[in-house]
Amino acid sequence: MRFSMIKDKSIFIKNVYYMLSYAFGNLHETEYKNIAKESFDNLDNLFAAILAKGISKQLKQGLYREYVACHDNLPTVRGKIDLVETVRNQLACRKLVACDFDELSANNLYNQILKSTALQLSRSKKVDKKYLGQFKKELVFFGEIDMVDLSKVPWHKLRFHRYNKSYRLLLGLCELLTEGKIMTTEQGIVRLTDFADDQRMSHLYEKFILEYYVQEYGQKYRGFTAKAAMIPWQLDDGNKNLLPVMKSDVLLSYGGRKLVIDAKYYAHSLQSNFDTKTIHSANLYQIFAYVKNLAVMRRDDMVAGMLLYARTDEEIVPDEDYQMSGNRISVKTLDLGQEFPVIKEQLDKIVTEYFTELG
């Protein structure tokens, strides 16, 4: 999906802010509320504003520290003695003990990611000077922090707990910027491509839809659940070898009913075959497999599925309902180019039409 597909780019950028708010939660906090009132002409500035504000807040709280492995020659014993190197010190008439020890340090992967991402963003020509100035002031406090190759960061291994939970939003943004904005080098200059053009936007889109239903319905209506769920294959012989995992983007449950939603963020919501537009075959097969395996497991027909595409500027906009082997399969679109209250109405309509008790 490109900005040319959005009638008003500023509306789309503002909606990305709201999507991030639901996806990570922290943007509802007081420190970030002024960002929602600003007007942004590109996504680099939006991300720079959030990251600069977040780093400033983190510096006031104190950078997260964790124990890192260290090795040094010391005048007194600390930690575990390295006997071989200590003997070498003695032979060289150096009265030092070689020690391996753990030290509480801010020079850890979490802060290294923050520093490296802020420096990468600061090289974007699209970022306003006021944010570049903020980054410059903040990075002074990262003098002891090493740089890290962002393309090699094991994002899935990062863990958050009560001591570093404030980093969840910041590192989520860093991941989106790193893996979403393909960083390329042209004549030695690091360039960030348009965030809206890449596959990483699809992950934000999926996470936003899930968290919207968790916060707006799962936390408000008893018995309503929204989650990304594994769907087991219903096998006759139990042979699971080489079968792919079935994991839904969103599974809504309430009053005995279930709705499986697969969120799709594509440049084209329909496929073309000899000038004929049809629903993407693989997407339809996928949602059908999810629904039928879940329906068999439950032994009823109160399971439905939906492909929810982000709307593009194509003439034909999917808005269909099908009855397939006893189950309802829908193909709908979500228009991210509308004001956010309209987006909320679209998402609410999905729930109230299927879970009529909530209508």
Side-chain angles (χ1 to χ4, degrees):
M1 178 179 289
R2 296 174 173 82
F3 282 141
S4 60
M5 298 178 184
I6 303 296
K7 295 179 180 179
D8 188 333
K9 186 171 71 173
S10 64
I11 291 178
F12 175 71
I13 293 174
K14 184 67 70 175
N15 286 337
V16 171
Y17 171 85
Y18 290 122
M19 292 166 71
L20 289 166
S21 297
Y22 277 98
F24 296 105
N26 306 57
L27 291 182
H28 294 299
E29 296 177 3
T30 305
E31 293 85 349
Y32 296 102
K33 286 186 177 179
N34 287 334
I35 295 176
K37 301 174 184 177
E38 294 187 42
S39 178
F40 299 95
D41 59 357
N42 65 66
L43 283 166
D44 284 2
N45 274 328
L46 171 62
F47 275 66
I50 297 173
L51 195 60
K53 179 66 70 175
I55 292 176
S56 175
K57 177 185 176 184
Q58 195 60 55
L59 286 171
K60 292 176 182 177
Q61 294 178 349
L63 292 177
Y64 169 63
R65 296 175 180 271
E66 64 181 11
Y67 286 100
V68 296
C70 300
H71 179 87
D72 201 358
N73 292 303
L74 305 172
T76 57
V77 175
R78 183 179 179 185
K80 183 179 178 181
I81 298 175
D82 182 336
L83 290 176
V84 174
E85 190 171 342
T86 299
V87 170
R88 289 174 183 165
N89 287 335
Q90 297 299 317
L91 293 174
C93 297
R94 292 193 297 265
K95 297 181 179 181
L96 297 173
V97 182
C99 301
D100 292 308
F101 55 93
D102 291 332
E103 185 173 64
L104 198 60
S105 170
N107 189 20
N108 53 62
L109 182 58
Y110 298 82
N111 292 317
Q112 291 167 5
I113 292 172
L114 282 185
K115 179 178 181 178
S116 302
T117 305
L119 284 173
Q120 293 283 26
L121 250 187
S122 66
R123 292 170 184 162
S124 171
K125 295 180 180 179
K126 296 181 180 180
V127 176
D128 289 348
K129 290 183 179 179
K130 64 178 180 178
Y131 303 125
L132 297 179
Q134 289 181 47
F135 283 140
K136 186 176 181 179
K137 292 178 182 178
E138 292 165 354
L139 288 173
V140 169
F141 298 94
F142 284 75
E144 66 176 276
I145 310 299
D146 295 333
M147 294 287 289
V148 66
D149 185 345
L150 293 169
S151 66
K152 296 180 180 179
V153 171
W155 301 100
H156 64 287
K157 292 184 178 180
L158 295 176
R159 296 292 179 264
F160 300 96
H161 44 74
R162 63 174 178 157
Y163 297 112
N164 68 356
K165 62 181 180 181
S166 58
Y167 278 69
R168 188 185 299 276
L169 165 66
L170 298 178
L171 296 195
L173 291 177
C174 292
E175 181 181 5
L176 287 169
L177 281 164
T178 301
E179 298 194 3
K181 292 174 148 308
I182 305 167
M183 293 187 181
T184 60
T185 302
E186 296 178 355
Q187 299 179 348
I189 299 174
V190 176
R191 179 176 63 84
L192 301 179
T193 62
D194 283 339
F195 178 72
D197 286 338
D198 62 73
Q199 63 177 0
R200 204 60 188 176
M201 184 67 187
S202 67
H203 294 284
L204 175 59
Y205 179 62
E206 294 167 10
K207 188 171 178 60
F208 156 63
I209 292 173
L210 172 59
E211 290 301 323
Y212 179 85
Y213 287 126
V214 168
Q215 296 173 40
E216 297 297 331
Y217 288 89
Q219 295 178 2
K220 296 179 181 179
Y221 296 93
R222 185 172 182 176
F224 188 102
T225 61
K227 59 184 179 180
M230 303 296 292
I231 300 175
W233 289 95
Q234 300 305 301
L235 304 170
D236 295 329
D237 58 2
N239 181 14
K240 298 181 180 179
N241 292 338
L242 303 181
L243 287 178
V245 171
M246 290 194 292
K247 184 178 180 181
S248 63
D249 294 335
V250 183
L251 177 60
L252 306 181
S253 304
Y254 185 74
R257 292 179 174 271
K258 292 186 180 292
L259 176 61
V260 185
I261 299 177
D262 219 33
K264 301 296 183 184
Y265 189 96
Y266 291 172
H268 301 285
S269 53
L270 295 173
Q271 64 184 9
S272 297
N273 186 21
F274 298 106
D275 295 325
T276 300
K277 299 287 187 179
T278 61
I279 299 164
H280 288 277
S281 304
N283 296 167
L284 193 57
Y285 301 155
Q286 181 183 37
I287 195 68
F288 183 77
Y290 287 179
V291 169
K292 296 313 294 182
N293 278 273
L294 190 58
V296 170
M297 183 173 68
R298 287 174 50 84
R299 292 185 173 83
D300 62 33
D301 59 356
M302 297 178 70
V303 178
M306 177 181 291
L307 293 173
L308 185 57
Y309 289 94
R311 185 171 182 172
T312 67
D313 62 353
E314 294 170 298
E315 292 183 6
I316 302 176
V317 179
D319 184 15
E320 304 291 342
D321 294 292
Y322 307 96
Q323 285 298 132
M324 297 183 179
S325 301
N327 297 94
R328 175 180 167 184
I329 304 290
S330 303
V331 183
K332 304 292 182 180
T333 58
L334 185 65
D335 191 348
L336 299 177
Q338 300 291 327
E339 295 287 352
F340 195 71
V342 178
I343 295 176
K344 287 174 60 72
E345 289 178 8
Q346 295 174 68
L347 292 172
D348 292 340
K349 184 178 179 182
I350 290 172
V351 168
T352 55
E353 283 191 351
Y354 188 68
F355 302 100
T356 54
E357 304 94 325
L358 299 176

